[in-house]
Amino acid sequence: MKQWILAPGADFSRLQEREVEQPQPGHGEVAVRVRATSLNYRDLITAENPKVENRVPLSDGAGEIAAVGKGVTGWNVGDRVCVNFFRDWQGGRFRNSYHDAALGGSVDGMLSEVVVFPAYSLVRIPDHFSFEEAATLPCAGLTAWCGLQRGHFVSGDTVLLQGTGGVSIWGLQIAVASGGRAIITSSSDAKLERAKKLGASDTINYKTTPDWEKEVWKLTNKQGVDHILEVGGPDTLGKSLASVSNGGSIAQIGVLTGFDAPNVSLFPIVAKNANINGIYVGDVESFDNFVRFLNVTKIQPIIDRVFPWEQTREAYDYMKSGAHFGKVVISV
Ligand SMILES: NC(=O)c1ccc[n+]([C@@H]2O[C@H](COP(=O)([O-])OP(=O)(O)OC[C@H]3O[C@@H](n4cnc5c(N)ncnc54)[C@H](OP(=O)(O)O)[C@@H]3O)[C@@H](O)[C@H]2O)c1
């Protein structure tokens, strides 16, 4: 069978296709024939990290069960599934050991025709999703879901989304389908128009309106937003603290502006009795709840483009360009 690996190096040119023997499931394991994968910003960071080598990349994929190992109950050949980003995080509080099995990072990921994982790490995908659509769930979708859940989102709440990448568009769709009011930023007016069609009530171009937090304040009648999916990182956190409502929640998710320390006052957190929740994707139990929500709301994920297997490097290049709206998928 075929798979892509990150050979030694520090950019996408080190992606190499190779032929390997097909793995067989052991006791308690399941083999999945992967049909589609999707890219996340994290996959760009991983490809540029020389410490990660000889690793099958990508956390996100969907497929059907090809073989079931001894001792497995509840799963059958042909079942349509995803694998959880943190293989061993089934529920409860996060533990440091879960970092030892993060797909496409500390263990091999999904850019492979067949993968083998413990049965406990699988999640059944929504019936109305194609494999391409389901491949957008494990990282971007679940992160947006958990970000809003941890902030105790309820219908009628206001949500701020930053940019129109994978996490933010998933956040927009979840918020709108849950009866929330969504405000979204982007560097592109054309993308903001698309976001409006998905139900965003207000849009702000963060290039032409760099002080977008003032606009958020105005749009919310000086109340601020109840939830922020903070994907920007150090350069946007200060603006998010200015935008959040009293008692509101910031889901601290991303590093689009880098890993440096933010140069911001922490006092707004105190003054507003606000919450900052660190979100690192999610657990199997949350993923199952998310799928239940999707089966009811019938949301269709937004896929910008599907690349064929042979054009995996081109898919990475496209993701890096930031031209996409929603998700970039690679078919397998
Ligand atoms: N903690 C977690 O579990 C977790 C999970 C998933 C992702 N993440 C992180 O979250 C971030 C987003 O991931 P992703 O996969 O959704 O990325 P993505 O799809 O690559 O999103 C890229 C988009 O982000 C927007 N953007 C870039 N810089 C921005 C800025 N300064 N302010 C506002 N928007 C900006 C741009 O949108 P426009 O073109 O519309 O301007 C860009 O197209 C990344 O840092 C990623 O590492 C973390």
Side-chain angles (χ1 to χ4, degrees):
M1 66 154 200
K2 288 183 291 191
Q3 61 183 201
W4 286 90
I5 57 152
L6 292 167
D11 61 31
F12 314 146
S13 64
R14 68 187 175 123
L15 277 165
Q16 282 178 14
E17 200 183 349
R18 71 177 180 188
E19 195 76 34
V20 293
E21 208 167 301
Q22 188 168 312
Q24 300 301 324
H27 193 275
E29 292 180 331
V30 163
V32 178
R33 171 66 175 93
V34 182
R35 296 293 179 189
T37 61
S38 86
L39 284 170
N40 292 285
Y41 189 80
R42 175 241 196 190
D43 301 311
L44 305 178
I45 299 173
T46 305
E48 289 170 355
N49 177 0
K51 287 186 192 149
V52 181
E53 59 177 34
N54 298 321
R55 172 74 65 229
V56 176
L58 306 197
S59 56
D60 289 12
E64 64 222 320
I65 293 181
V68 175
K70 284 203 175 71
V72 173
T73 54
W75 293 110
N76 296 301
V77 170
D79 285 350
R80 303 164 76 246
V81 294
C82 282
V83 185
N84 198 50
F85 179 103
F86 284 115
R87 187 192 66 193
D88 299 333
W89 191 12
Q90 291 181 67
R93 266 177 77 174
F94 191 75
R95 291 171 190 276
N96 203 41
S97 61
Y98 299 152
H99 285 297
D100 297 342
L103 275 59
S106 50
V107 295
D108 282 345
M110 299 296 286
L111 200 50
S112 189
E113 284 184 316
V114 178
V115 296
V116 168
F117 282 99
Y120 63 71
S121 60
L122 302 186
V123 171
R124 209 173 295 278
I125 64 178
D127 299 336
H128 65 292
F129 275 20
S130 65
F131 289 121
E132 284 81 7
E133 289 171 329
T136 71
L137 292 172
C139 183
L142 184 58
T143 299
W145 170 257
C146 289
L148 293 173
Q149 291 295 305
R150 284 270 294 283
H152 305 293
F153 175 95
V154 291
S155 176
D157 283 357
T158 308
V159 181
L160 175 71
L161 294 318
Q162 301 174 339
T164 58
V167 173
S168 298
I169 292 300
W170 258 118
L172 169 66
Q173 291 186 283
I174 294 167
V176 169
S178 310
R181 173 189 175 196
I183 302 174
I184 189 164
T185 70
S186 174
S187 57
S188 152
D189 288 340
K191 289 181 175 183
L192 290 174
E193 279 309 309
R194 288 185 70 183
K196 265 192 193 158
K197 291 196 179 109
L198 289 175
S201 62
D202 303 279
T203 60
I204 307 170
N205 186 317
Y206 64 81
K207 287 280 186 222
T208 55
T209 310
D211 294 338
W212 49 261
E213 71 281 13
K214 293 182 182 154
E215 190 62 22
V216 170
W217 209 241
K218 266 194 245 161
L219 287 169
T220 55
N221 206 15
K222 299 185 182 173
Q223 298 300 303
V225 285
D226 304 308
H227 307 267
I228 300 175
L229 297 189
E230 176 36 81
V231 294
D235 291 356
T236 51
L237 179 60
K239 293 174 187 299
S240 291
L241 289 173
S243 302
V244 74
S245 64
N246 287 301
S249 295
I250 297 176
Q252 194 62 47
I253 293 170
V255 288
L256 288 167
T257 61
F259 289 89
D260 290 343
N263 183 18
V264 293
S265 164
L266 299 179
F267 191 65
I269 308 171
V270 179
K272 293 179 171 181
N273 273 280
N275 308 288
I276 300 188
N277 296 310
I279 301 292
Y280 204 164
V281 201
D283 54 281
V284 172
E285 196 183 323
S286 298
F287 201 158
D288 279 329
N289 289 337
F290 180 32
V291 169
R292 207 164 296 135
F293 168 83
L294 295 170
N295 277 327
V296 172
T297 54
K298 298 281 186 279
I299 290 176
Q300 298 289 156
I302 303 302
I303 296 175
D304 180 284
R305 199 161 154 190
V306 180
F307 286 83
W309 172 267
E310 305 75 42
Q311 288 179 18
T312 289
R313 283 200 201 98
E314 286 85 342
Y316 271 76
D317 277 337
Y318 183 65
M319 181 79 183
K320 184 154 188 177
S321 77
H324 60 286
F325 179 94
K327 295 294 296 174
V328 177
V329 168
I330 301 169
S331 59
V332 181

